[in-house]
Amino acid sequence: MLSFVFQSRIISTSLIKTIILFNKHQLQFPLKCTDQNSATTCSSYYPTKFELNDDSSTTSCPEYFRWIHEDLKPWESTGITRDMVETSKNISHFRLIIINGKAYVEKYANSFQTRDVFTIWGILQLLRLYPGKIPDLELMFQCGDNTVVNKKKFQGPQMSPPPVFHYCGEENSYDIVFPDWTFWGWAELNIRPWETTLHNIQEGNKMIKWKDRIPYAFWKGNPAVSDIRKELGKCNATKQHDWNARIYDIQWLQEKASNFENTKLENQCTFRYKIYVEGATWSVSEKYIIACDSMTMFVEPRYYDFFTRNMLPLRHYWPISTKNMCEEIKYAVDWGNAHLDNAQAIGNGGTNYIVDNLKMKFVYDYMFHLLNSYAKLLKFKPTVPTGAIEICSESVACSLHGVRRRFLVESMVTSPSDTPPCIMPSPFTPQILQEFLDEKENLIKQVKTRAVS
């Protein structure tokens, strides 16, 4: 079990990690750089087998794990052939190969910033958490914003889509959704690994009592990346209109020059209401926004990540239509300020969903079950291609410096888990899935027709 002991307030930069097994300190295996230079080879000091006295799990996975079955359904009857994998090379940033518990990567294109580095790092930490438990596999990974496997191009029984792992999906794509890189940190924006960041946000939530928070809807971000964000900017207060929204632009170059003092996520939980609006596609800001205890407004998202598909309107968030967006935001804030207890309950519902279901152990367990389910579909024997290189925590982190290396070390798994993965839920039946989608649609309709009591 990953257990973190936090012994500092928000203003402190120290985070002490202690992993405990049966009230004893478990043997630790920290990063092992041989010298001040980069480690180019992978040593064998880390345990290669995951062994427990009792490997039967008593913890059920969160319900959103059910979507793993849905994401892999396009290959349920055909399996995944080598040709399917190879055809996705031109739409992928890298190929990941796992054989006998060792990882190899073949790189095809440069990703934006260090998305690929932190994504690969996360997979390496999964191998450390459950050594020897990830089966042999080959997969292709796309690190960009846009989905790449369009359903329209793969219609009919003879048109099998290429399996591509990606950070987000949408109704018209077959992209296989996987946790994004920021769970291990976003170095370029000085956003620390998820467990640290979530802890800091939770501490920030305590600064101002909910009913004493600023009674408007807050959004802060880069409006230049999408039209919908530019439209959101028009909802800012003017002399003519106050739509109950407070919209703030971020200029990242300026923020970097000031050491990101004005963009600390834990200091952005001072409003009763917060707005989530997509960027180029989905946005990693979603989990940070929901964690604030504020009633989160979702501006009609088109894309989804791996954990949000089980969230429900009016229980975890308030839906906002892109049509008449400013009016909808004003109505939501007016409703919330007239129903403070209900609005606070929605905000708490979203935050509790994140805190309960998005622990790093569950993030790793999602990766574990997704990769195991994917590997079972492979119809070929994974092999290491000529252009691939073996990677491990040392080969990735030891050559880095500054905040990048610091975040990798902070998010590093230093010993195998003392508990097995959670128990995977069964797939949706068609009826249960339809009932869930109908419930979500009916709740959205209540808001659109302003029938919320």
Side-chain angles (χ1 to χ4, degrees):
M1 177 175 63
L2 294 179
S3 176
F4 295 88
V5 180
F6 297 94
Q7 299 188 350
S8 60
R9 301 290 293 179
I10 303 169
I11 57 175
S12 173
T13 59
S14 64
L15 171 68
I16 300 176
K17 285 196 301 184
T18 304
I19 300 180
I20 301 175
L21 175 63
F22 303 124
N23 296 321
K24 296 180 181 178
H25 288 280
Q26 191 172 354
L27 187 60
Q28 304 287 289
F29 299 88
L31 191 68
K32 191 176 182 180
C33 299
T34 55
D35 51 39
Q36 296 302 314
N37 298 321
S38 62
T40 56
T41 58
C42 296
S43 60
S44 56
Y45 72 96
Y46 197 83
T48 57
K49 290 185 178 180
F50 177 67
E51 296 178 341
L52 294 173
N53 293 330
D54 181 8
D55 62 357
S56 59
S57 179
T58 58
T59 302
S60 298
C61 300
E63 281 295 297
Y64 67 79
F65 278 54
R66 283 182 156 193
W67 293 97
I68 290 174
H69 303 292
E70 297 300 312
D71 287 348
L72 295 178
K73 190 169 284 186
W75 303 276
E76 188 177 55
S77 59
T78 62
I80 295 172
T81 66
R82 175 161 295 283
D83 283 347
M84 292 179 191
V85 173
E86 296 300 330
T87 55
S88 59
K89 185 185 292 188
N90 65 335
I91 53 173
S92 301
H93 284 89
F94 64 85
R95 180 201 305 257
L96 172 77
I97 309 101
I98 297 175
I99 295 179
N100 295 327
K102 294 183 177 181
Y104 306 82
V105 164
E106 183 179 33
K107 189 174 179 179
Y108 302 125
N110 293 325
S111 72
F112 181 64
Q113 296 177 340
T114 50
R115 290 185 181 189
D116 55 350
V117 173
F118 278 78
T119 300
I120 291 167
W121 177 261
I123 295 169
L124 291 173
Q125 302 322 297
L126 173 68
L127 297 179
R128 291 170 70 91
L129 188 65
Y130 298 123
K133 290 297 184 180
I134 306 301
D136 292 358
L137 57 83
E138 285 185 50
L139 63 83
M140 297 292 192
F141 208 104
Q142 162 62 229
C143 298
D145 289 327
N146 295 305
T147 51
V148 292
V149 187
N150 192 319
K151 285 185 178 180
K152 290 182 180 179
K153 295 181 180 179
F154 302 98
Q155 296 179 347
Q158 305 302 318
M159 298 290 288
S160 297
V164 179
F165 286 70
H166 190 204
Y167 306 125
C168 70
E170 47 118 358
E171 184 180 354
N172 298 315
S173 79
Y174 285 123
D175 296 42
I176 301 170
V177 185
F178 195 83
D180 70 75
W181 75 99
T182 61
F183 284 96
W184 299 274
W186 191 351
E188 290 80 6
L189 300 188
N190 201 40
I191 296 175
R192 294 174 72 178
W194 170 238
E195 292 246 278
T196 313
T197 300
L198 177 60
H199 167 76
N200 289 344
I201 290 174
Q202 288 182 288
E203 289 298 305
N205 288 343
K206 301 173 185 177
M207 287 184 172
I208 303 176
K209 292 182 179 179
W210 197 92
K211 292 179 181 179
D212 293 334
R213 293 185 181 188
I214 302 168
Y216 297 107
F218 171 88
W219 182 82
K220 189 171 189 175
N222 180 6
V225 295
S226 68
D227 289 340
I228 190 62
R229 288 189 175 184
K230 293 172 186 173
E231 287 298 310
L232 177 63
K234 298 176 183 177
C235 301
N236 224 342
T238 66
K239 292 181 180 180
Q240 290 75 32
H241 285 289
D242 189 344
W243 301 109
N244 292 338
R246 300 297 182 262
I247 312 300
Y248 301 88
D249 296 357
I250 290 180
Q251 301 299 324
W252 285 113
L253 290 178
Q254 295 177 17
E255 295 301 333
K256 184 177 181 181
S258 63
N259 200 29
F260 301 99
E261 283 298 319
N262 298 315
T263 55
K264 292 180 179 179
L265 295 169
E266 60 267 26
N267 295 337
Q268 297 182 29
C269 300
T270 57
F271 285 74
R272 288 180 188 167
Y273 314 96
K274 293 196 70 173
I275 299 169
Y276 169 72
V277 59
E278 292 180 332
T281 54
W282 111 112
S283 170
V284 301
S285 65
E286 190 169 31
K287 56 185 175 290
Y288 309 125
I289 292 171
I290 301 170
C292 259
D293 275 345
S294 307
M295 187 179 88
T296 302
M297 301 180 188
F298 279 14
V299 180
E300 204 164 358
R302 172 183 169 187
Y303 298 87
Y304 51 79
D305 52 28
F306 75 99
F307 65 88
T308 50
R309 283 176 280 184
N310 258 68
M311 296 182 73
L312 282 171
L314 303 183
R315 185 180 302 172
H316 305 118
Y317 65 91
W318 182 283
I320 297 291
S321 173
T322 54
K323 297 179 181 178
N324 302 316
M325 179 167 48
C326 300
E327 290 90 338
E328 293 237 338
I329 291 171
K330 186 179 188 310
Y331 168 69
V333 172
D334 285 341
W335 180 91
N337 288 337
H339 303 81
L340 287 178
D341 290 340
N342 293 346
Q344 185 176 2
I346 295 172
N348 291 340
T351 296
N352 290 339
Y353 181 94
I354 294 296
V355 171
D356 294 342
N357 298 313
L358 209 56
K359 298 175 173 68
M360 273 309 295
K361 179 64 161 60
F362 283 146
V363 176
Y364 283 123
D365 284 1
Y366 189 93
M367 296 160 62
F368 174 90
H369 284 299
L370 175 57
L371 294 183
N372 271 274
S373 299
Y374 170 84
K376 290 176 183 176
L377 295 171
L378 297 182
K379 298 294 185 182
F380 63 93
K381 182 178 176 61
T383 57
V384 181
T386 305
I389 60 170
E390 184 182 356
I391 56 166
C392 58
S393 294
E394 283 70 27
S395 67
V396 172
C398 289
S399 61
L400 298 177
H401 304 280
V403 68
R404 293 177 182 179
R405 180 163 169 176
R406 190 162 67 248
F407 284 1
L408 295 184
V409 172
E410 183 178 312
S411 62
M412 186 174 183
V413 171
T414 55
S415 64
S417 175
D418 64 353
T419 58
C422 60
I423 302 170
M424 179 79 162
S426 58
F428 288 110
T429 64
Q431 180 181 353
I432 290 176
L433 178 57
Q434 191 57 53
E435 287 174 355
F436 173 78
L437 296 176
D438 288 345
E439 181 184 8
K440 181 179 285 191
E441 187 59 37
N442 287 334
L443 290 169
I444 292 173
K445 187 177 180 181
Q446 281 186 40
V447 175
K448 285 184 175 180
T449 59
R450 305 196 173 181
V452 184
S453 57

